[in-house]
Amino acid sequence: MYHMAGVQLTKVKGLPMKKLFIFLLGAVLLNAREFIGKVPLVEHAKEVHFTGSRLISPELLHNILHYQTWGELFVYLQVHWFRALFFGITVGVLVVFLLHYLIIGPKKFSHSGKGVFVYSVFKRVVHWTAALAFVLVIPTGFMMIFGKELGGGDLVLTARYIHSIGTVLFIVSFIPMFLMWFIPMLPTLDDIKWFLMLGGYLTKKKVVVPAGQFNAGQKMWFWVAMLGGIVMIGTGAMMYFQDFHLAILDRFGLDQIDLIRIAAITHNFLGMAVAALFITHLYMSLFAIKGSLDSMISGNKSEDEVKYMHSSFYKKLKKEGKI
Amino acid sequence: MARMKFYCDEGRCIECLGCAVACEEANELPVGISRRKVVTVNEGMEGQEYSVSVACMHCTDAPCEQVCPVDCFYIRADGIVLHDKTTCIGCGYCLYACPFGAPQFPKDGAFGTRGVMDKCTMCAGGPEPTNSAKERELYGQNRIAEGKVPMCAAICSTNALIVGDEAEVSDIYRKRVMQRGKGVIGVPYGWSTAYKG
């Protein structure tokens, strides 16, 4: 049809330029449309480099179709399990320790004498930095899990911010703590014996407990806090930054949103272990063994306590003539 | 009682992004936040390419509402899923739970940190008094209360995006399917009218 118009144009001289322009534009557009129809603009659309937000993949429909893999699992766990497990584990641990305190009671050791110097100033500073981090992170974590009961809003929002700030403190203390305690925290044969008698905590009698500088319980806490801590930092960072791009995701065929879902699931389950052992650590140092907190304040541990609770360490010190 | 639904007809959507822009402007959203996204599938593949506009789908069994740790969501009697921004803590769980990636988080919290969640309200505002300044500031327009169509559907030039009571929406779509067949029809909607008339 436009060819006919063209024929007309050549006949009529002195046609306004405007009309000619519109005609040319129309011709170009029509030709362009034919061109688009014949040649695919992009042969492999999926390989196109995407520079914007990866949060929802460039192909949103891919996310929607793959929702069943991780999305539904996250919803199922969050709706039915996370809150219940956190509540159950926390209450369970507290009840067990309350019963332990009432039935078996705390262990008391003589604090006379100079004691054994176990923690240098550096170690104490690192410990208390990590301790402050945990005191900030764990209660705020619980505040978010049970945000419904607290009514949400600014209170829980602030808790979320403090949760992130506490993490920074933990990151600071992480490397020195790992390096200074890595070797004494390695498992030994004593640990099996310790677990078999549950560290002597099930008897009122003062028994000699097989343990080096750290007993199996402390080691368990150390490794959960360190290896678990790395995972908690990593998964927490993913949830915190939310919108990031890891090239490696493409290699695993994983959408970014799925990675964050996996991170949230991991963070919750690991959080249960960390919270349970944190409460245990508090109970042991504050209540179960009277005065054991002193060693982390002054650096000196009661000789009597070392003799019974860390017998292998005591023997080693004696051999070296340090006592 | 009406049950409000969005439907985007992929046979009609021409990826003009009118819905996304109109929504951003009407609700004065911060830069980088689009409650509505237009997604093009099979881009560049002849005869297979089509686009759909996606936002919050206002699910009946909304997973966001189920996972929210502070219970800030509520579902209106007409099925519109809304949330209370003064209760929301911006944890992101609703985003992990959402199949459509609807929840977004403007960085407007303290020191530019991630703030509370923002999503499509089907232009129905929030829990604050209807058409109050606070409602407008937090959630954008409340067009539903004024008897108007949500901005995205109101602006859609090809009527691809339709919104309303589910029975009526499905009735419209059913009539379209009867006339032109189901799904994508190779050539974008309106092409013949625009270029071959």
Side-chain angles (χ1 to χ4, degrees), chain A residues 117-119 123 180-181 183-185 190 211-215 218-219 301 306 309-314 316:
Chain A
F117 186 69
V118 277
Y119 301 127
K123 283 179 181 171
M180 77 191 191
W181 279 338
I183 294 188
M185 289 291 185
D190 278 345
Q213 188 187 346
F214 296 108
N215 65 38
Q218 288 173 301
K219 286 177 184 176
K301 213 174 181 76
V306 177
M309 299 306 286
H310 300 271
S311 60
S312 302
F313 185 54
Y314 188 75
K316 189 182 150 226

Side-chain angles (χ1 to χ4, degrees), chain A residues 141-193:
Chain A
F142 274 100
M143 283 173 79
M144 283 188 277
I145 294 159
F146 300 103
K148 247 174 239 188
E149 285 67 23
L150 296 169
D154 287 340
L155 177 72
V156 187
L157 186 64
T158 313
R160 201 191 98 212
Y161 290 143
I162 294 172
H163 199 72
S164 321
I165 295 164
T167 308
V168 177
L169 272 181
F170 180 56
I171 294 170
V172 168
S173 63
F174 184 86
I175 292 171
M177 181 176 273
F178 188 80
L179 292 176
M180 77 191 191
W181 279 338
F182 166 64
I183 294 188
M185 289 291 185
L186 287 173
T188 58
L189 277 178
D190 278 345
D191 299 335
I192 300 168
K193 293 181 213 155

Side-chain angles (χ1 to χ4, degrees), chain A:
Chain A
M1 195 179 133
Y2 64 92
H3 287 294
M4 276 174 65
V7 171
Q8 273 185 337
L9 268 176
T10 47
K11 276 181 188 169
V12 186
K13 290 239 171 183
L15 196 84
M17 286 300 284
K18 201 175 159 190
K19 278 193 178 171
L20 186 69
F21 176 74
I22 292 169
F23 153 71
L24 284 172
L25 190 73
V28 166
L29 277 177
L30 275 166
N31 281 321
R33 184 254 178 283
E34 276 168 30
F35 182 74
I36 290 167
K38 274 165 197 155
V39 185
L41 290 174
V42 187
E43 281 196 3
H44 305 287
K46 278 181 185 169
E47 286 170 24
V48 175
H49 182 61
F50 187 78
T51 47
S53 164
R54 297 276 310 195
L55 195 51
I56 290 302
S57 90
E59 288 208 20
L60 184 60
L61 291 200
H62 183 262
N63 277 153
I64 298 171
L65 294 173
H66 289 78
Y67 177 72
Q68 278 79 1
T69 36
W70 295 105
E72 276 189 1
L73 179 68
F74 172 77
V75 173
Y76 169 72
L77 290 171
Q78 169 66 12
V79 171
H80 298 285
W81 288 104
F82 288 154
R83 283 163 52 87
L85 283 173
F86 267 107
F87 184 77
I89 287 171
T90 312
V91 171
V93 169
L94 288 174
V95 165
V96 163
F97 289 145
L98 184 69
L99 290 175
H100 178 264
Y101 195 81
L102 294 175
I103 296 166
I104 295 163
K107 286 185 189 300
K108 292 184 182 94
F109 294 98
S110 158
H111 280 255
S112 60
K114 205 161 67 89
V116 187
F117 186 69
V118 277
Y119 301 127
S120 65
V121 175
F122 176 74
K123 283 179 181 171
R124 274 175 274 159
V125 168
V126 171
H127 172 270
W128 287 113
T129 311
L132 180 60
F134 275 78
V135 165
L136 292 177
V137 166
I138 291 176
T140 51
F142 274 100
M143 283 173 79
M144 283 188 277
I145 294 159
F146 300 103
K148 247 174 239 188
E149 285 67 23
L150 296 169
D154 287 340
L155 177 72
V156 187
L157 186 64
T158 313
R160 201 191 98 212
Y161 290 143
I162 294 172
H163 199 72
S164 321
I165 295 164
T167 308
V168 177
L169 272 181
F170 180 56
I171 294 170
V172 168
S173 63
F174 184 86
I175 292 171
M177 181 176 273
F178 188 80
L179 292 176
M180 77 191 191
W181 279 338
F182 166 64
I183 294 188
M185 289 291 185
L186 287 173
T188 58
L189 277 178
D190 278 345
D191 299 335
I192 300 168
K193 293 181 213 155
W194 188 93
F195 271 115
L196 287 175
M197 60 188 292
L198 272 170
Y201 287 110
L202 295 184
T203 169
K204 284 184 178 187
K205 283 179 285 179
K206 254 192 197 178
V207 285
V208 177
V209 179
Q213 188 187 346
F214 296 108
N215 65 38
Q218 288 173 301
K219 286 177 184 176
M220 198 162 70
W221 170 225
F222 177 81
W223 290 110
V224 167
M226 291 285 110
L227 299 183
I230 277 278
V231 178
M232 289 302 268
I233 292 170
T235 52
M238 284 177 204
M239 289 191 278
Y240 179 83
F241 292 111
Q242 203 174 68
D243 208 348
F244 54 89
H245 175 47
L246 293 176
I248 201 159
L249 291 182
D250 300 339
R251 296 190 185 266
F252 288 107
L254 204 61
D255 288 334
Q256 193 195 330
I257 186 74
D258 280 341
L259 184 73
I260 307 181
R261 282 167 182 155
I262 295 167
I265 293 168
T266 315
H267 202 85
N268 269 286
F269 278 123
L270 211 51
M272 291 167 203
V274 173
L277 284 169
F278 178 71
I279 298 168
T280 310
H281 188 61
L282 283 185
Y283 175 69
M284 292 298 162
S285 56
L286 295 175
F287 301 105
I289 304 163
K290 288 285 171 207
S292 69
L293 187 65
D294 293 351
S295 63
M296 220 11 118
I297 296 167
S298 66
N300 288 315
K301 213 174 181 76
S302 134
E303 202 177 312
D304 197 28
E305 190 189 326
V306 177
K307 194 175 163 184
Y308 284 99
M309 299 306 286
H310 300 271
S311 60
S312 302
F313 185 54
Y314 188 75
K315 278 176 211 156
K316 189 182 150 226
L317 289 177
K318 205 128 209 201
K319 223 170 158 187
E320 289 168 359
K322 283 178 183 168
I323 300 173

Side-chain angles (χ1 to χ4, degrees), chain B residues 35-178:
Chain B
R35 289 180 180 175
R36 191 162 268 293
K37 305 173 193 80
V38 179
V39 183
T40 301
V41 185
N42 298 330
E43 191 164 354
M45 292 180 192
E46 196 182 348
Q48 294 174 48
E49 181 180 307
Y50 63 93
S51 300
V52 277
S53 174
V54 186
C56 173
M57 293 294 193
H58 299 273
C59 310
T60 310
D61 59 343
C64 52
E65 188 260 348
Q66 295 173 38
V67 300
C68 180
V70 293
D71 238 350
C72 76
F73 288 89
Y74 63 102
I75 301 176
R76 285 170 36 143
D78 57 5
I80 301 177
V81 180
L82 296 177
H83 74 297
D84 188 340
K85 283 192 181 183
T86 56
T87 308
C88 174
I89 58 165
C91 67
Y93 274 24
C94 48
L95 172 67
Y96 316 155
C98 180
F100 307 104
Q104 291 168 82
F105 299 86
K107 288 198 180 350
D108 56 4
F111 307 107
T113 50
R114 193 174 80 219
V116 299
M117 190 269 277
D118 184 89
K119 77 167 188 72
C120 160
T121 63
M122 209 186 259
C123 284
E128 268 72 28
T130 300
N131 284 330
S132 63
K134 200 181 175 198
E135 186 195 45
R136 169 132 197 160
E137 189 200 326
L138 289 175
Y139 309 96
Q141 292 191 20
N142 191 340
R143 295 170 62 87
I144 296 281
E146 294 167 359
K148 292 178 187 162
V149 175
M151 203 63 218
C152 51
I155 210 86
C156 183
S157 58
T158 60
N159 279 347
L161 189 62
I162 41 180
V163 62
D165 180 29
E166 59 181 346
E168 281 180 45
V169 167
S170 64
D171 197 43
I172 292 170
Y173 186 59
R174 188 172 48 80
K175 278 178 187 156
R176 285 182 189 177
V177 169
M178 284 196 303

